[in-house]
Every structure is written in C-alpha cells, then in structure tokens.
Amino acid sequence: MDQLEQITALIALTMGVGWASGINLYATILMLGLMSNMGNLELPAELEIIADPMVLMAAGFMYCVEFFADKIPGVDTGWDTLHTFIRIPAGAALAAGAVGDMNGAVVLAAALVGGSLSATSHALKAGGRVMINTSPEPVTNWTASVSEDLVVFGGLWAALNYPVAFLIGLVLFVALVIWLLPKIWRGVKKVFTFLAGLFGHKSDDIKIAEGGVLPPRKP
C-alpha cells in the first residue's frame, strides 16, 4: 500500500506542476521552492534547483510583474500570448524533473503529460481572458487574476497533501476544458473578427478582390 501511495503522490506532483505552470508559472515555482526551504516538502533531486535563493528571487520578481500585468485589460492578453512560449515548455520541464532519476522513458512520458496539461490550462486561461476583456470594467480582470492564483496555490497544496482528490479534480478539470474550449474559441473568433472590422475598414474605392488581386489606384 505504501508503494501505491508513493506512486499516486508522484503522479499527482508530476501532473500538478504541469497543470499549475500553465496558469501561473511563477506562483508554482515560488510555492514549491518556499515549501522546500521551510522543510515542508522534499523535492526530487532534479527539482531542487527551484529552491535556490536566486531562482526564488527571480520567480518572486516575475510574479510581482505578472500580478499587475495580469489585471490590466489587454495587457493580460499580451502577457498570456508571450507566455505561451514560456509556460508550456517550463511545465514540461518541471513535470520531467518531478519524476526524479527514473529511466528515460518515464521522464519523457512525464514531460509529454506535463506539457500537455500546461498547454490545456494555459489555453483555458488565455481564451477566458480574451472573453473577459470584452467587459469594459476592470473588476472581472482582478477577480479572475486573484482566483487563478488561489487555484494554483490550492491545487498544488491538494496535489501534495491529498493526491487522490487532486487527481479526481484534475480529471474533472480536463472534462470541463473539453466542453468549454470550443465555446471559448468561437467567442475569441468573434472578438477578433469584431476588432478586425474596426481596424481593417474597407472603402468602396479600395478593397481586395475575391481573387486576392488589389485593383489599381484611381488617379
């Protein structure tokens, strides 16, 4: 039974760091690193680097930057777009490190699962933010940002202390994403179509023909 519990805890940690990185990478590193330094968590050797003071200071600084950028309509979407190239590979790397010194196949499998979960949670966050930004008031941005941070901290705490409950919740999260993402994607397309209509106005004299040929200018 002890071995089964250890395997469950390892799976929960691996999937947890991947999932949380897609929402807030810096909060994930801060929580794990601080818990390790306080003696509340024994990190695998491959993840001990995130408990280094230099890494924690960098993560803390970037968390502060994201804390404010994430609450400004429009800026949060730009920030999420940039972090598409940061959160997903970082989530894969953290998930791979979470399995420790196991064989290469296990490490690669952990990286694939962690990267996929990171991409899933990131897509839900980024797409949801585009929809939220259609509202002119800033309250929803602040509420969403604070809620995301609380979800990361709470989710990681559950993964470390109640791995079975976390894994059940993760399955429900993935099911929710599968149901929500098509709806969010349609909404995002409508938002960008509307913006394109505002900034891509076509006059009667200048427009692209159906065949893609631009008619000559009138003198």
Side-chain angles (χ1 to χ4, degrees):
M1 182 62 70
D2 288 341
Q3 186 175 5
L4 178 60
E5 290 177 353
Q6 290 176 358
I7 293 174
T8 303
L10 180 62
I11 293 173
L13 176 61
T14 302
M15 294 187 172
V17 294
W19 163 82
S21 296
I23 302 173
N24 193 320
L25 171 63
Y26 308 116
T28 301
I29 294 175
L30 271 178
M31 181 174 179
L32 295 178
L34 290 174
M35 289 183 66
S36 176
N37 284 329
M38 290 187 296
N40 297 323
L41 172 65
E42 183 177 352
L43 291 171
E46 286 72 9
L47 281 185
E48 288 179 353
I49 190 172
I50 67 176
D52 185 275
M54 289 293 293
V55 176
L56 289 178
M57 284 190 291
F61 172 75
M62 292 305 299
Y63 176 77
C64 290
V65 174
E66 179 161 326
F67 182 84
F68 293 102
D70 212 34
K71 294 173 176 60
I72 304 173
V75 174
D76 58 349
T77 296
W79 184 265
D80 285 337
T81 302
L82 173 64
H83 277 74
T84 301
F85 308 99
I86 300 175
R87 291 172 184 157
I88 297 173
L94 289 175
V99 299
D101 56 353
M102 294 188 178
N103 65 63
V106 175
V107 174
L108 179 57
L112 291 173
V113 173
S116 298
L117 286 173
S118 180
T120 301
S121 56
H122 170 73
L124 182 63
K125 172 181 178 174
R129 284 308 187 87
V130 172
M131 300 301 298
I132 288 173
N133 285 338
T134 59
S135 175
E137 41 75 34
V139 176
T140 48
N141 291 79
W142 280 77
T143 303
S145 180
V146 172
S147 299
E148 288 160 3
D149 289 354
L150 293 176
V151 165
V152 168
F153 293 129
L156 284 177
W157 179 84
L160 296 171
N161 294 280
Y162 302 97
V164 174
F166 170 78
L167 291 175
I168 293 173
L170 186 61
V171 171
L172 295 176
F173 169 80
V174 172
L176 176 65
V177 171
I178 292 173
W179 179 72
L180 275 180
L181 273 184
K183 296 174 174 55
I184 291 177
W185 177 243
R186 287 195 294 269
V188 170
K189 286 173 65 177
K190 289 180 180 178
V191 171
F192 282 104
T193 299
F194 174 74
L195 293 176
L198 290 178
F199 297 102
H201 176 70
K202 298 177 182 179
S203 68
D204 292 334
D205 295 329
I206 303 176
K207 63 179 180 179
I208 299 176
E210 291 296 330
V213 179
L214 189 66
R217 286 177 173 268
K218 294 181 179 181

CSV table of all heavy atoms in Angstrom, one decimal, residues 110-150:
chain,number,residue,atom,x,y,z
A,110,ALA,N,6.5,11.8,-18.6
A,110,ALA,CA,6.1,12.9,-17.7
A,110,ALA,C,6.2,14.2,-18.4
A,110,ALA,O,5.3,15.1,-18.1
A,110,ALA,CB,7.1,12.9,-16.5
A,111,ALA,N,7.2,14.5,-19.2
A,111,ALA,CA,7.3,15.8,-19.9
A,111,ALA,C,6.2,16.0,-20.9
A,111,ALA,O,5.6,17.1,-21.0
A,111,ALA,CB,8.7,15.8,-20.6
A,112,LEU,N,5.8,14.9,-21.6
A,112,LEU,CA,4.7,15.0,-22.5
A,112,LEU,C,3.4,15.3,-21.8
A,112,LEU,O,2.6,16.2,-22.2
A,112,LEU,CB,4.6,13.7,-23.3
A,112,LEU,CG,5.7,13.4,-24.3
A,112,LEU,CD1,5.6,12.0,-24.9
A,112,LEU,CD2,5.8,14.5,-25.4
A,113,VAL,N,3.1,14.6,-20.7
A,113,VAL,CA,1.9,14.8,-20.0
A,113,VAL,C,1.9,16.2,-19.3
A,113,VAL,O,0.9,16.9,-19.4
A,113,VAL,CB,1.7,13.7,-18.9
A,113,VAL,CG1,0.5,14.0,-18.0
A,113,VAL,CG2,1.5,12.3,-19.6
A,114,GLY,N,3.0,16.5,-18.7
A,114,GLY,CA,3.1,17.8,-18.1
A,114,GLY,C,3.0,19.0,-19.0
A,114,GLY,O,2.3,20.0,-18.8
A,115,GLY,N,3.6,18.9,-20.2
A,115,GLY,CA,3.5,19.9,-21.2
A,115,GLY,C,2.1,20.0,-21.8
A,115,GLY,O,1.6,21.1,-22.0
A,116,SER,N,1.4,18.9,-21.9
A,116,SER,CA,0.0,18.9,-22.4
A,116,SER,C,-0.9,19.5,-21.4
A,116,SER,O,-1.8,20.3,-21.8
A,116,SER,CB,-0.4,17.4,-22.7
A,116,SER,OG,0.4,16.9,-23.7
A,117,LEU,N,-0.8,19.2,-20.1
A,117,LEU,CA,-1.6,19.8,-19.1
A,117,LEU,C,-1.3,21.3,-19.0
A,117,LEU,O,-2.3,22.1,-18.8
A,117,LEU,CB,-1.4,19.1,-17.8
A,117,LEU,CG,-2.0,17.7,-17.6
A,117,LEU,CD1,-1.5,17.1,-16.3
A,117,LEU,CD2,-3.5,17.8,-17.7
A,118,SER,N,-0.1,21.7,-19.1
A,118,SER,CA,0.3,23.1,-19.1
A,118,SER,C,-0.4,23.8,-20.3
A,118,SER,O,-0.9,24.9,-20.1
A,118,SER,CB,1.8,23.2,-19.1
A,118,SER,OG,2.1,24.6,-19.1
A,119,ALA,N,-0.3,23.2,-21.5
A,119,ALA,CA,-0.9,23.8,-22.6
A,119,ALA,C,-2.5,23.9,-22.5
A,119,ALA,O,-3.1,24.9,-22.9
A,119,ALA,CB,-0.6,23.0,-23.9
A,120,THR,N,-3.1,22.9,-21.8
A,120,THR,CA,-4.5,22.9,-21.6
A,120,THR,C,-5.0,24.0,-20.7
A,120,THR,O,-5.9,24.8,-21.0
A,120,THR,CB,-5.0,21.5,-21.1
A,120,THR,OG1,-4.6,20.5,-22.0
A,120,THR,CG2,-6.5,21.5,-20.9
A,121,SER,N,-4.3,24.1,-19.5
A,121,SER,CA,-4.7,25.1,-18.6
A,121,SER,C,-4.3,26.5,-19.1
A,121,SER,O,-5.1,27.5,-18.8
A,121,SER,CB,-4.0,24.9,-17.2
A,121,SER,OG,-2.6,24.8,-17.3
A,122,HIS,N,-3.2,26.6,-19.8
A,122,HIS,CA,-2.9,27.9,-20.4
A,122,HIS,C,-3.9,28.4,-21.4
A,122,HIS,O,-4.3,29.6,-21.5
A,122,HIS,CB,-1.5,27.9,-21.0
A,122,HIS,CG,-1.1,29.1,-21.9
A,122,HIS,ND1,-0.8,30.3,-21.3
A,122,HIS,CD2,-1.1,29.2,-23.2
A,122,HIS,CE1,-0.5,31.2,-22.2
A,122,HIS,NE2,-0.7,30.6,-23.4
A,123,ALA,N,-4.3,27.4,-22.3
A,123,ALA,CA,-5.3,27.8,-23.3
A,123,ALA,C,-6.6,28.2,-22.7
A,123,ALA,O,-7.3,29.2,-23.2
A,123,ALA,CB,-5.6,26.6,-24.2
A,124,LEU,N,-7.1,27.6,-21.6
A,124,LEU,CA,-8.3,28.0,-20.9
A,124,LEU,C,-8.2,29.3,-20.3
A,124,LEU,O,-9.1,30.2,-20.4
A,124,LEU,CB,-8.7,26.9,-19.8
A,124,LEU,CG,-10.0,27.2,-19.1
A,124,LEU,CD1,-11.2,27.2,-20.0
A,124,LEU,CD2,-10.1,26.2,-18.0
A,125,LYS,N,-7.0,29.6,-19.7
A,125,LYS,CA,-6.8,30.9,-19.1
A,125,LYS,C,-6.7,32.0,-20.1
A,125,LYS,O,-7.4,33.0,-20.0
A,125,LYS,CB,-5.5,30.9,-18.3
A,125,LYS,CG,-5.1,32.3,-17.8
A,125,LYS,CD,-3.8,32.3,-17.0
A,125,LYS,CE,-3.5,33.8,-16.6
A,125,LYS,NZ,-2.3,33.9,-15.7
A,126,ALA,N,-5.9,31.8,-21.2
A,126,ALA,CA,-5.7,32.9,-22.2
A,126,ALA,C,-7.0,33.1,-22.9
A,126,ALA,O,-7.4,34.3,-23.2
A,126,ALA,CB,-4.6,32.4,-23.1
A,127,GLY,N,-7.7,32.1,-23.3
A,127,GLY,CA,-9.0,32.2,-24.0
A,127,GLY,C,-10.1,32.9,-23.2
A,127,GLY,O,-10.8,33.8,-23.6
A,128,GLY,N,-10.1,32.5,-21.9
A,128,GLY,CA,-11.1,33.1,-21.0
A,128,GLY,C,-10.8,34.6,-20.8
A,128,GLY,O,-11.7,35.4,-20.7
A,129,ARG,N,-9.5,35.0,-20.8
A,129,ARG,CA,-9.1,36.4,-20.6
A,129,ARG,C,-9.6,37.2,-21.8
A,129,ARG,O,-10.0,38.4,-21.6
A,129,ARG,CB,-7.6,36.5,-20.3
A,129,ARG,CG,-7.2,36.1,-18.9
A,129,ARG,CD,-8.1,36.9,-17.9
A,129,ARG,NE,-7.6,36.7,-16.6
A,129,ARG,CZ,-6.7,37.4,-16.0
A,129,ARG,NH1,-6.1,38.4,-16.6
A,129,ARG,NH2,-6.3,37.1,-14.8
A,130,VAL,N,-9.5,36.7,-23.0
A,130,VAL,CA,-9.9,37.4,-24.1
A,130,VAL,C,-11.4,37.7,-24.0
A,130,VAL,O,-11.9,38.8,-24.3
A,130,VAL,CB,-9.6,36.6,-25.4
A,130,VAL,CG1,-10.3,37.3,-26.6
A,130,VAL,CG2,-8.1,36.5,-25.7
A,131,MET,N,-12.2,36.7,-23.6
A,131,MET,CA,-13.6,36.9,-23.4
A,131,MET,C,-13.9,38.0,-22.3
A,131,MET,O,-14.8,38.8,-22.4
A,131,MET,CB,-14.3,35.6,-23.1
A,131,MET,CG,-14.1,34.5,-24.1
A,131,MET,SD,-14.8,35.1,-25.7
A,131,MET,CE,-16.5,35.3,-25.3
A,132,ILE,N,-13.2,37.9,-21.2
A,132,ILE,CA,-13.4,38.8,-20.1
A,132,ILE,C,-13.1,40.2,-20.5
A,132,ILE,O,-13.7,41.2,-20.0
A,132,ILE,CB,-12.5,38.4,-18.9
A,132,ILE,CG1,-13.0,37.1,-18.2
A,132,ILE,CG2,-12.4,39.5,-17.8
A,132,ILE,CD1,-12.2,36.5,-17.1
A,133,ASN,N,-12.1,40.4,-21.4
A,133,ASN,CA,-11.7,41.7,-21.8
A,133,ASN,C,-12.8,42.4,-22.6
A,133,ASN,O,-12.6,43.6,-22.9
A,133,ASN,CB,-10.4,41.7,-22.5
A,133,ASN,CG,-9.2,41.5,-21.6
A,133,ASN,OD1,-9.3,41.7,-20.4
A,133,ASN,ND2,-8.1,41.0,-22.2
A,134,THR,N,-13.8,41.7,-23.0
A,134,THR,CA,-14.9,42.4,-23.7
A,134,THR,C,-15.7,43.2,-22.8
A,134,THR,O,-16.5,44.1,-23.2
A,134,THR,CB,-15.8,41.4,-24.4
A,134,THR,OG1,-16.3,40.5,-23.5
A,134,THR,CG2,-15.0,40.6,-25.5
A,135,SER,N,-15.6,43.0,-21.5
A,135,SER,CA,-16.3,43.8,-20.5
A,135,SER,C,-15.5,45.0,-20.2
A,135,SER,O,-14.2,45.0,-20.0
A,135,SER,CB,-16.5,43.0,-19.2
A,135,SER,OG,-17.0,43.8,-18.2
A,136,PRO,N,-16.1,46.2,-20.2
A,136,PRO,CA,-15.3,47.5,-20.0
A,136,PRO,C,-14.8,47.7,-18.6
A,136,PRO,O,-13.8,48.5,-18.4
A,136,PRO,CB,-16.3,48.6,-20.4
A,136,PRO,CG,-17.7,47.9,-20.1
A,136,PRO,CD,-17.5,46.5,-20.4
A,137,GLU,N,-15.4,47.1,-17.6
A,137,GLU,CA,-14.9,47.4,-16.2
A,137,GLU,C,-13.8,46.4,-15.9
A,137,GLU,O,-13.7,45.3,-16.4
A,137,GLU,CB,-16.1,47.2,-15.3
A,137,GLU,CG,-17.1,46.1,-15.5
A,137,GLU,CD,-16.5,44.7,-15.1
A,137,GLU,OE1,-15.7,44.7,-14.1
A,137,GLU,OE2,-16.7,43.7,-15.8
A,138,PRO,N,-12.9,46.9,-14.9
A,138,PRO,CA,-11.7,46.1,-14.6
A,138,PRO,C,-12.0,45.1,-13.5
A,138,PRO,O,-11.1,44.3,-13.2
A,138,PRO,CB,-10.8,47.2,-14.1
A,138,PRO,CG,-11.6,48.2,-13.5
A,138,PRO,CD,-12.9,48.2,-14.3
A,139,VAL,N,-13.1,45.0,-12.9
A,139,VAL,CA,-13.4,44.2,-11.7
A,139,VAL,C,-13.2,42.7,-12.1
A,139,VAL,O,-12.6,41.9,-11.3
A,139,VAL,CB,-14.8,44.4,-11.1
A,139,VAL,CG1,-15.1,43.5,-10.0
A,139,VAL,CG2,-14.9,45.9,-10.6
A,140,THR,N,-13.7,42.3,-13.3
A,140,THR,CA,-13.7,40.9,-13.7
A,140,THR,C,-12.2,40.5,-13.9
A,140,THR,O,-11.9,39.3,-13.6
A,140,THR,CB,-14.5,40.7,-15.0
A,140,THR,OG1,-14.1,41.7,-15.9
A,140,THR,CG2,-16.0,40.8,-14.7
A,141,ASN,N,-11.4,41.4,-14.4
A,141,ASN,CA,-10.0,41.0,-14.6
A,141,ASN,C,-9.3,40.8,-13.2
A,141,ASN,O,-8.5,39.8,-13.0
A,141,ASN,CB,-9.2,42.2,-15.3
A,141,ASN,CG,-9.6,42.3,-16.7
A,141,ASN,OD1,-10.7,42.9,-17.0
A,141,ASN,ND2,-8.8,41.7,-17.6
A,142,TRP,N,-9.5,41.6,-12.2
A,142,TRP,CA,-9.0,41.5,-10.9
A,142,TRP,C,-9.5,40.2,-10.3
A,142,TRP,O,-8.7,39.4,-9.7
A,142,TRP,CB,-9.3,42.7,-10.0
A,142,TRP,CG,-8.5,43.8,-10.3
A,142,TRP,CD1,-8.5,44.7,-11.3
A,142,TRP,CD2,-7.3,44.3,-9.5
A,142,TRP,NE1,-7.5,45.7,-11.2
A,142,TRP,CE2,-6.8,45.4,-10.1
A,142,TRP,CE3,-6.8,43.8,-8.3
A,142,TRP,CZ2,-5.7,46.1,-9.6
A,142,TRP,CZ3,-5.7,44.5,-7.8
A,142,TRP,CH2,-5.1,45.6,-8.4
A,143,THR,N,-10.8,39.9,-10.4
A,143,THR,CA,-11.4,38.7,-9.8
A,143,THR,C,-10.8,37.5,-10.4
A,143,THR,O,-10.4,36.5,-9.7
A,143,THR,CB,-12.9,38.8,-10.0
A,143,THR,OG1,-13.4,39.9,-9.4
A,143,THR,CG2,-13.5,37.5,-9.4
A,144,ALA,N,-10.7,37.5,-11.8
A,144,ALA,CA,-10.1,36.3,-12.5
A,144,ALA,C,-8.7,36.1,-12.1
A,144,ALA,O,-8.3,34.9,-11.8
A,144,ALA,CB,-10.3,36.5,-14.0
A,145,SER,N,-7.9,37.2,-12.0
A,145,SER,CA,-6.5,37.0,-11.7
A,145,SER,C,-6.3,36.5,-10.3
A,145,SER,O,-5.5,35.6,-10.1
A,145,SER,CB,-5.8,38.4,-11.8
A,145,SER,OG,-4.4,38.3,-11.5
A,146,VAL,N,-6.9,37.1,-9.3
A,146,VAL,CA,-6.8,36.6,-7.9
A,146,VAL,C,-7.3,35.1,-7.8
A,146,VAL,O,-6.7,34.3,-7.1
A,146,VAL,CB,-7.6,37.5,-7.0
A,146,VAL,CG1,-7.6,36.9,-5.6
A,146,VAL,CG2,-7.0,38.9,-6.9
A,147,SER,N,-8.4,34.8,-8.5
A,147,SER,CA,-8.9,33.5,-8.4
A,147,SER,C,-8.0,32.5,-9.0
A,147,SER,O,-7.8,31.4,-8.5
A,147,SER,CB,-10.3,33.4,-9.2
A,147,SER,OG,-11.2,34.2,-8.6
A,148,GLU,N,-7.3,32.8,-10.1
A,148,GLU,CA,-6.3,31.9,-10.7
A,148,GLU,C,-5.1,31.7,-9.8
A,148,GLU,O,-4.7,30.5,-9.7
A,148,GLU,CB,-5.8,32.6,-12.0
A,148,GLU,CG,-6.8,32.5,-13.1
A,148,GLU,CD,-6.5,33.5,-14.2
A,148,GLU,OE1,-5.5,34.2,-14.2
A,148,GLU,OE2,-7.3,33.6,-15.2
A,149,ASP,N,-4.7,32.7,-9.1
A,149,ASP,CA,-3.6,32.5,-8.1
A,149,ASP,C,-4.0,31.6,-7.0
A,149,ASP,O,-3.3,30.7,-6.6
A,149,ASP,CB,-3.1,33.8,-7.6
A,149,ASP,CG,-2.4,34.7,-8.6
A,149,ASP,OD1,-2.1,34.2,-9.7
A,149,ASP,OD2,-2.0,35.8,-8.3
A,150,LEU,N,-5.2,31.8,-6.5
A,150,LEU,CA,-5.7,30.9,-5.4
A,150,LEU,C,-5.9,29.5,-5.9
A,150,LEU,O,-5.6,28.6,-5.1
A,150,LEU,CB,-7.0,31.5,-4.9
A,150,LEU,CG,-7.0,32.8,-4.2
A,150,LEU,CD1,-8.4,33.3,-3.8
A,150,LEU,CD2,-6.1,32.7,-2.9
